[in-house]
Amino acid sequence: MQDALAAMQALATTEGRADPYPHYERLRSAGPVVELGEGFAVVTGYAEADQVLRDASFRVTDAAVLDRALPGWRDVASWQWLSRTMLWHNAPDHTRLRRLAGAAFTARRVAALRADVAALAGELIAPIAAGGGPVDFMDTVAYPLPVSVICALLGVPAADRDWFRPRAQDLTLALEVFAGDPQELGRADAAGEDLAEYFVDLLARRQREPGDDMISDLLAAGADGRIGGAELVAHLVLLLVAGFETTTNLLGNGLAMLLDRPEQLARLRAAPELAAAYIEEMLRLDPPVQVTSRYAGQDSELAGVRLRAGTELMVVLAAAGRDPRRFTAPDSFLPDRPSVPSLSFGAGAHYCLGAPLARLEAQVAFPLLLAELPHLRSAGVPTRRDRLGFRGYATLPITA
Ligand code: HEM
């Protein structure tokens, strides 16, 4: 127990966040579920995390939970914003919001993007092939690709993408594991306000000139009274932010894994049809979203640990992906392993709405990158962003 507490403290430090995996193992050695004090438990087991995510009696943070757990939360604008999104709603409101966004985010619309994604990726990779480098992969491909794709899907001018980047990054500070630093929350609040204003303007424009995009579909739902004005703006901000912070980090974390393993890189280059399996393994081994949380809605028991109603559960998706009870050789990159779904996109009612899109982007980008850059290699030591919940690189230098 003492060691589990020490592991939690380590995760709150820059060094701990740089390589959190040994600390997750220290937590796991205290059990797949460990209570670390009154009303707070950590879940590192695969089966237990899966159960918590699928069982509706474990609730996501919503306004009722926050009123109990964190009086005063309404003074934090970015938490207010989050509380309007599906991510922070339980059924029945979650079902309504998810259905509306899901109806606009159709499989047809995502599948139809494949050619556009390939064209966009090609445009970003061509100058690297021509120039040779060194360049920063995060700046040249990993960030611009997902943001251009989500902008196209939503109907947001891609020219604004450089304006979004710092704001989207700041806004995710409100979702971080040890969120609460007033300065960071201040940045998240300011970013949320800027983005909300941006979408209010864009909605007004789309109302005058509807298009074949998600914003126009959601506006139609708003006109029927199925989604309120503030809810609509909150969801557009959510889709924009969720749509690229995470996918950017899948591309960066995934490429770093390949550069560290030249034999795997060569194999994927020779057999691009393996891309889907490689990407699932990247998602399992170093997931962009490491952690989520739930609250016990009632007294319950999980892996023999008694949880009182109201207990907060930190669900470590990244640790679940390395649970030795579920995955053999869990720390190794083995794309041929029998496919067990990792929990890197979550599970249950809140399963990632954008998973097909994120997978499509990575499945298109990696084979293209390896084909177009036959001499692709690392050009220096990459630097990590100092985050725990959203894990990714700040810089990843490459040459072609
Ligand atoms: C590799 C990329 C991505 C990863 C790793 C990821 C991960 C996740 C995870 C773990 C959750 C569940 C959170 C929970 O249950 O507490 C989630 C939910 C969500 N994701 Fe993603 N995501 C990715 C890409 C995307 C994209 C591209 C979009 C949209 C364009 C998106 C939109 C959403 C939304 C709207 C939710 C909330 C779903 C709900 O509450 O019902 N995500 N994502």
Side-chain angles (χ1 to χ4, degrees):
M1 173 63 93
Q2 278 310 315
D3 193 49
L5 277 169
M8 271 308 282
Q9 282 160 1
L11 288 170
T13 65
T14 298
E15 298 73 38
R17 285 188 286 260
D19 182 11
Y21 294 102
H23 305 297
Y24 297 157
E25 289 318 310
R26 290 165 68 194
L27 286 165
R28 194 198 309 287
S29 57
V33 178
V34 55
E35 193 162 25
L36 287 183
E38 190 64 27
F40 179 72
V42 181
V43 183
T44 52
Y46 178 98
E48 295 75 12
D50 190 59
Q51 183 183 337
V52 167
L53 295 174
R54 289 177 194 278
D55 181 342
S57 75
F58 293 103
R59 302 173 68 74
V60 299
T61 310
D62 62 11
V65 161
L66 286 165
D67 283 339
R68 253 197 336 271
L70 209 63
W73 70 275
R74 284 172 202 272
D75 298 335
V76 179
S78 41
W79 285 341
Q80 279 245 32
W81 161 76
L82 271 164
S83 76
R84 293 192 188 107
T85 71
M86 69 178 99
L87 200 56
W88 280 20
H89 270 93
N90 291 290
D93 271 336
H94 173 259
T95 321
R96 170 180 62 90
L97 294 167
R98 170 109 186 181
R99 204 170 283 151
L100 281 170
F105 206 93
T106 55
R108 177 188 65 84
R109 203 166 251 161
V110 172
L113 279 175
R114 181 172 278 270
D116 292 350
V117 173
L120 276 167
E123 278 167 32
L124 296 169
I125 294 168
I128 310 178
V135 295
D136 177 11
F137 177 71
M138 301 312 291
D139 262 352
T140 50
V141 180
Y143 169 70
L145 180 63
V147 75
S148 304
V149 172
I150 193 68
C151 285
L153 198 67
L154 285 171
V156 168
D160 296 336
R161 69 189 188 195
D162 290 337
W163 184 86
F164 290 139
R165 186 179 191 176
R167 288 169 177 83
Q169 288 184 342
D170 280 355
L171 191 53
T172 58
L173 288 167
L175 272 169
E176 263 300 339
V177 182
F178 300 104
D181 175 82
Q183 214 179 345
E184 291 196 341
L185 282 177
R187 275 166 58 197
D189 287 353
E193 262 162 46
D194 281 358
L195 287 164
E197 261 174 45
Y198 177 91
F199 278 112
V200 168
D201 280 358
L202 190 62
L203 280 169
R205 263 185 283 155
R206 279 289 173 284
Q207 205 135 29
R208 289 193 300 272
E209 302 156 22
D212 179 19
D213 53 47
M214 280 185 67
I215 293 190
S216 304
D217 287 5
L218 286 166
L219 264 172
D224 294 354
R226 285 176 287 154
I227 185 165
E231 275 178 339
L232 181 50
V233 171
H235 280 85
L236 292 175
V237 176
L238 173 69
L239 289 169
L240 179 80
V241 174
F244 68 83
E245 262 293 274
T246 49
T247 312
T248 294
N249 292 336
L250 167 59
L251 296 175
N253 296 353
L255 182 63
M257 279 181 245
L258 293 179
L259 293 172
D260 279 350
R261 297 168 180 79
E263 70 297 345
Q264 294 288 4
L265 188 148
R267 183 170 171 234
L268 180 57
R269 177 179 282 133
E273 66 281 5
L274 296 178
Y278 269 68
I279 286 148
E280 293 315 300
E281 186 64 349
M282 291 166 181
L283 283 161
R284 181 193 68 79
L285 197 62
D286 200 17
V289 177
Q290 298 259 307
V291 170
T292 187
S293 65
R294 293 292 187 269
Y295 287 79
Q298 60 196 40
D299 291 348
S300 53
E301 199 176 295
L302 189 65
V305 176
R306 290 181 57 195
L307 303 171
R308 291 236 308 273
T311 298
E312 181 185 356
L313 299 171
M314 172 170 153
V315 184
V316 189
L317 306 171
R322 294 190 184 208
D323 184 343
R325 294 175 306 166
R326 198 73 183 89
F327 300 96
T328 45
D331 297 328
S332 301
F333 185 87
L334 299 173
D336 301 313
R337 65 174 68 247
S339 82
V340 177
S342 71
L343 298 178
S344 301
F345 284 120
H350 290 267
Y351 181 78
C352 177
L353 187 70
L357 181 61
R359 287 189 165 114
L360 172 72
E361 290 180 40
Q363 288 170 14
V364 168
F366 280 110
L368 202 64
L369 193 69
L370 300 181
E372 296 297 311
L373 307 179
H375 306 295
L376 173 67
R377 60 188 191 284
S378 163
V381 182
T383 51
R384 280 276 179 198
R385 292 175 63 201
D386 186 16
R387 296 282 195 95
L388 179 62
F390 291 86
R391 180 165 169 81
Y393 286 96
T395 61
L396 180 55
I398 55 164
T399 58

